[in-house]
Amino acid sequence: MRALDGKVAIITGASSGIGYAAAKLFAQEGARLVLGARSKDRLEALVAEITGANGSATAIAGDVRDEDYAIELVETALGRFGGLDVGFNNAGIIGEMVDVQHMTAEAWQDTLDTNLTGAFFGAKHQIPAMIDRGAGSVIFTSSFVGHAIGFAGMASYSASKAGLVGMTKSLAVEHGRNGIRVNSLLPGGTATPMVGDFSNDPSAGDAIAEFHALKRMAQPREIAQAALFLASEAASFVTGSAMVADGGNSVTKI
Ligand code: NAD
């Protein structure tokens, strides 16, 4: 028996990085997947890869800032796979990195709309489908930024990611009685396109690695493994948590 046999999961931000690794891992573990992100081409390539390896997945490109997109993802899970068990609300952006006195209201709002309101839309429409099922797992990708560490120029990102932890606690209490678990996952620095490859400035990569106890960044699959735990029955008594998978950056002072 695999960890997600018989389960149906939505993963947003599946075209890249952590979401991409989670899609492949969840499929290997038996989940039937509805994948979301902005790039149709990348999603279609991922669906082909998963189905080519005997997995089951479909994809819809869209924008998590649009509530109708959240509805469409859930309706696809219900129509195509007959229900929904897991919502991995993972899509996110860093947003414009500037000191607060230079941050426009539009840039602030865009980061909040994508990272926080997008996840709210996801949960809002996933949870009723899970209530029908009598169980479910909602996961938000938060961050070590805004939790363990503050970075200059990242006020909007930090606020959005800390907001997810607050929303997690409310929703866990609101829907525990329905058998639904709600958790935030807080990755440490992870080698994805969001962070870049540091080819122009290897010392910047070294500096990020240094503030982790493990003295390296995570690979996306390592974060996907933590998401798999939260999605699966292995985490059957875990709810309302802000679970770190941060390579020890929250306990490191350099
Ligand atoms: P990434 O840039 O590789 O992937 C981001 C994904 O989100 C892409 O699939 C993109 O299409 C999607 N996305 C962004 N805006 C969207 C929108 N408006 N509508 C739909 N999809 C949208 O980045 P990643 O590092 O894999 O990030 C995944 C999550 O992990 C993000 O929420 C990020 O904040 C969080 N995170 C990343 C790190 C890190 O170091 N990489 C650390 C902590 C948390």
Side-chain angles (χ1 to χ4, degrees):
M1 180 88 176
R2 294 172 295 177
L4 296 179
D5 270 337
K7 304 291 186 193
V8 179
I10 291 171
I11 301 176
T12 66
S15 67
S16 174
I18 291 167
Y20 180 85
K24 295 216 295 190
L25 182 63
F26 283 24
Q28 282 164 13
E29 290 296 334
R32 290 167 290 160
L33 299 174
V34 179
L35 303 175
R38 292 168 299 187
S39 164
K40 189 167 185 279
D41 290 351
R42 281 198 237 157
L43 285 174
E44 282 177 356
L46 176 58
V47 167
E49 202 178 332
I50 288 171
T51 52
N54 293 322
S56 185
T58 189
I60 306 169
D63 191 323
V64 295
R65 294 171 295 182
D66 176 3
E67 185 167 4
D68 287 341
Y69 181 52
I71 295 170
E72 199 182 352
L73 290 168
V74 172
E75 284 180 347
T76 301
L78 301 182
R80 176 85 189 260
F81 299 126
L84 180 67
D85 304 288
V86 177
F88 184 22
N89 298 288
N90 166 76
I93 55 168
I94 288 186
E96 192 184 8
M97 289 179 65
V98 287
D99 286 358
V100 72
Q101 66 271 34
H102 304 301
M103 189 175 287
T104 62
E106 290 75 19
W108 165 270
Q109 196 59 51
D110 188 44
T111 308
L112 270 288
D113 284 350
T114 306
N115 295 357
L116 185 56
T117 308
F120 154 69
F121 288 150
K124 176 179 171 183
H125 295 287
Q126 291 156 10
I127 283 173
M130 294 175 181
I131 291 174
D132 290 346
R133 205 85 147 167
S137 171
V138 176
I139 306 160
F140 301 117
T141 308
S142 177
S143 178
F144 69 104
V145 180
H147 181 80
I149 295 178
F151 284 121
M154 295 189 75
S156 61
Y157 185 82
S158 299
S160 69
K161 293 300 182 181
L164 290 173
V165 172
M167 182 163 67
T168 294
K169 293 173 200 277
S170 272
L171 297 186
V173 172
E174 202 172 286
H175 293 288
R177 72 190 67 229
N178 297 314
I180 298 168
R181 298 181 294 102
V182 184
N183 293 285
S184 282
L185 173 58
L186 281 60
T190 307
T192 71
M194 178 180 277
V195 176
D197 66 2
F198 304 109
S199 49
N200 294 331
D201 183 7
S203 66
D206 293 345
I208 294 181
E210 188 61 26
F211 63 67
H212 294 76
L214 296 177
K215 303 301 175 199
R216 65 176 179 84
M217 290 175 65
Q219 290 303 312
R221 189 178 167 89
E222 295 179 283
I223 307 305
Q225 293 278 12
L228 174 65
F229 168 71
L230 290 173
S232 75
E233 283 304 304
S236 57
F237 209 58
V238 181
T239 195
S241 78
M243 194 183 94
V244 297
D246 69 354
N249 72 18
S250 53
V251 294
T252 301
K253 296 263 189 278
I254 49 171

